[in-house]
Amino acid sequence: MKKATVTVQFEQEKLRALEFYISKKDSTLEAELDDFMEKLYEKHVPTQTREYIESMTDRDERPPRQQRPRPPRPTRPDRPASAGGTSGTGAEN
């Protein structure tokens, strides 16, 4: 699934302190925010909507189906090969 960028404003000194203490726990601000956003998503988006989005994501991530070449259709002996018959439009000339 494609990612979007979210921009938030936060006081610079608080951000430095936050990054400092998060790094002491062997984590990163990005990892913590990813986790938090996932929890927000699960909290606010209804289950049926999440399931629909996941099914669309699964479909988009699958490689496209390759078309198998179709064998030529055999001609039927009781029908003549296209000998200038009708055009199939129903209009007469």
Side-chain angles (χ1 to χ4, degrees):
M1 184 180 302
K2 292 183 181 179
K3 299 269 184 170
T5 300
V6 178
T7 304
V8 295
Q9 292 186 354
F10 195 68
E11 292 180 30
Q12 191 172 15
E13 289 302 316
K14 288 182 179 182
L15 178 61
R16 285 185 192 150
L18 182 59
E19 288 175 326
F20 175 77
Y21 286 102
I22 287 175
S23 69
K24 286 185 169 252
K25 294 187 176 189
D26 292 325
S27 189
T28 64
L29 180 59
E30 290 80 12
E32 295 291 324
L33 287 172
D34 283 345
D35 184 51
F36 181 72
M37 291 296 288
E38 190 65 34
K39 288 177 184 172
L40 276 177
Y41 173 76
E42 290 174 3
K43 178 180 178 182
H44 294 284
V45 178
T47 304
Q48 289 178 331
T49 304
R50 292 194 318 257
E51 289 172 353
Y52 173 76
I53 291 170
E54 288 171 16
S55 73
M56 297 304 290
T57 301
D58 291 344
R59 187 182 75 178
D60 290 344
E61 290 177 354
R62 279 188 246 149
R65 288 180 32 190
Q66 292 188 0
Q67 296 281 337
R68 288 187 292 168
R70 291 185 177 184
R73 295 176 87 185
T75 56
R76 291 178 46 184
D78 59 332
R79 287 192 181 175
S82 182
T86 62
S87 64
T89 61
E92 300 268 336
N93 289 346

